[in-house]
Every structure is written in structure tokens, then in C-alpha cells.
Amino acid sequence: MAWDEQLLDWQIAQGGQDWILRFYDWHPSALSIGYHQRFVPPTWLELVAELQLDLVRRPSGGRAVLHSGSLTYALICPQMYSSRWAMYDYLCQFLCLGMSRLGIDLTFGAGKDYAHADSCFHSHTRGDLIMANGQKLIGNAQLYKQGSVLQHGTIMICPHREWLQRFFGDGRSIGAIADLAQFAQQTLPEIQQSLIRALTQSAEQHFLVEFKRTEFSQLVPCLISPKPA
């Protein structure tokens, strides 16, 4: 995620008009902590060491996310609305559109007890996306800087429910794409690639941009559109 912050700084240095879209997985699995989430329970530190996970602090907000069996995206763009909820509404539409292509209908969350939750996926805000059964599937968080926005999101595919139980006391209430009938026979990499294709297409359609694959500093694969199409 440090690369995402560097990409944000690069986008600002280029004038703040580029659109950047990046997808990635985590190897090894990791626990990420939101920028404003200052207290890390000692039991989490013990589990991170025991399970040999990475521990990172996101530059964006939100609560703790266990990155295992998931897909993370980073979207960087100009800030077009003064209201943060308006930005969430606008940016998350590409997720709703892309997931609907795969037969998954999502709605926005309702902000239930989020401030009191330790885990991102055990509560939700208006910036998160919820499945028809009420389970949260995509958690989103933002960072604003000099007229640009970095929005992070994690999509749960086949989460490690035993680890979730050990970290947060609940491993069953989180939505998972692999639990849906149309994905039951697909592997994690296959589902990830389907998501990347569908979400890239929906982002281009919704934001009216054309992404081109670019290697940032020869290390980070991402999609950059120099200007709206």
C-alpha cells in the first residue's frame, strides 16, 4: 500500500488529472490497520507473529482488514465532489456495475456501529458494499490529498474464516464470492482474474476513461489513463 501512496504523489505531481487503477493480492497474507486506528490489541500482534502475517498501516482510513483469499484495488483520481459521501457514491458505482456483470448485486451500507468495530468487515458505512443477504463484500476507505483521492478497497473471495474467528471472534458473517453458486468450481486466481476484467471494463465505462497498462518504476503493475476519453 506504500506504493499506492507513492502513486498518489506521482499523480499529484503530474497535475492531478490522471486516473490510476491497480489490483493486487497479498503474499504473505497480511493484517492492515486503518490510518486512524491507533490501538492494536496485543492478541493481534501475537497472532500476526504466530501465523507469519505481514502487519501494515494503510494510508487510507477504515478499520482492520485481514487480507487472505481476497483482491485489493486502489483507485486514484481527481476529487470532483466536495462531499466525501458523494465521492464514495460516484467511485463505488464502478464496483456495483462490474459486480453486476458477474451476477452479483450490491447495495451501499448503512453505517451501523462502525466507530465501535475493530474489524472493517464486521460493520459497514455508506461507503461499503453489501450483498443481498446483508453480508459485507467490499470494504472501501479513502485518502484525500491536494485535490486528489486515493480509494482503497478489499473484495472478499474466499476469506480464511478460522483466522477471522481468531482475530475478530466471528468468521462466518462476512460475504464471500466463492460461496456463490456461479463461482463454486473456480479457483481463487480464476475468480481474481474475472474480477479484474469485469471491474476494469466497468471503470472505463463509468468514468469515461481508457486505461492502459503501465509499469510504475518497473515494479508496480497498474492501469493509468492520462485523461478522460
Side-chain angles (χ1 to χ4, degrees):
M1 287 186 164
W3 280 112
D4 297 330
E5 193 167 13
Q6 290 194 39
L7 283 167
L8 175 62
D9 289 338
W10 177 88
Q11 188 259 13
I12 292 170
Q14 298 302 308
Q17 296 305 305
D18 295 299
W19 287 72
I20 302 174
L21 180 60
R22 179 182 174 224
F23 298 96
Y24 52 97
D25 197 358
W26 297 72
H27 301 285
S29 298
L31 180 72
S32 74
I33 307 299
Y35 180 79
H36 299 289
Q37 191 174 8
R38 294 303 176 187
F39 176 69
V40 179
T43 54
W44 291 4
L45 300 178
E46 294 169 3
L47 283 169
V48 164
E50 175 191 338
L51 301 173
Q52 298 184 330
L53 308 180
D54 281 342
L55 177 64
V56 301
R57 185 175 294 280
R58 298 189 305 274
S60 53
R63 317 307 281 179
V65 178
L66 183 61
H67 300 276
S68 178
S70 60
L71 180 68
T72 300
Y73 78 87
L75 176 64
I76 298 169
C77 66
Q79 180 181 351
M80 289 160 293
Y81 297 95
S82 58
S83 164
R84 297 199 174 195
W85 293 123
M87 282 299 300
Y88 272 119
D89 289 345
Y90 177 61
L91 296 183
C92 287
Q93 287 300 328
F94 95 96
L95 298 166
C96 294
L97 178 60
M99 300 301 275
S100 69
R101 295 173 185 264
L102 300 174
I104 304 173
D105 293 326
L106 298 175
T107 57
F108 286 94
K112 296 181 179 179
D113 299 325
Y114 192 82
H116 304 290
D118 291 326
S119 165
C120 172
F121 279 86
H122 290 97
S123 60
H124 49 82
T125 74
R126 288 171 50 197
D128 298 318
L129 295 172
I130 313 301
M131 302 172 70
N133 62 4
Q135 293 181 327
K136 180 173 174 176
L137 186 67
I138 307 178
N140 303 295
Q142 294 179 338
L143 167 65
Y144 288 77
K145 189 174 182 178
Q146 297 181 36
S148 293
V149 183
L150 163 61
Q151 179 166 305
H152 274 138
T154 296
I155 306 168
M156 286 298 181
I157 300 175
C158 51
H160 200 303
R161 298 196 184 277
E162 179 185 346
W163 290 359
L164 288 167
Q165 181 69 34
R166 295 185 68 186
F167 272 100
F168 308 120
D170 181 1
R172 304 304 309 174
S173 65
I174 293 175
I177 290 177
D179 291 342
L180 302 176
Q182 63 265 42
F183 299 99
Q185 303 304 314
Q186 295 187 29
T187 64
L188 173 62
E190 288 172 338
I191 297 174
Q192 288 173 329
Q193 289 304 311
S194 295
L195 288 171
I196 291 170
R197 286 193 296 270
L199 293 175
T200 300
Q201 292 172 0
S202 65
E204 291 184 325
Q205 177 183 342
H206 178 60
F207 301 128
L208 301 178
V209 298
E210 181 180 355
F211 289 109
K212 297 180 180 179
R213 187 177 180 86
T214 303
E215 298 295 327
F216 178 71
S217 297
Q218 305 302 310
L219 290 174
V220 181
C222 59
L223 299 163
I224 297 179
S225 172
K227 59 182 180 179

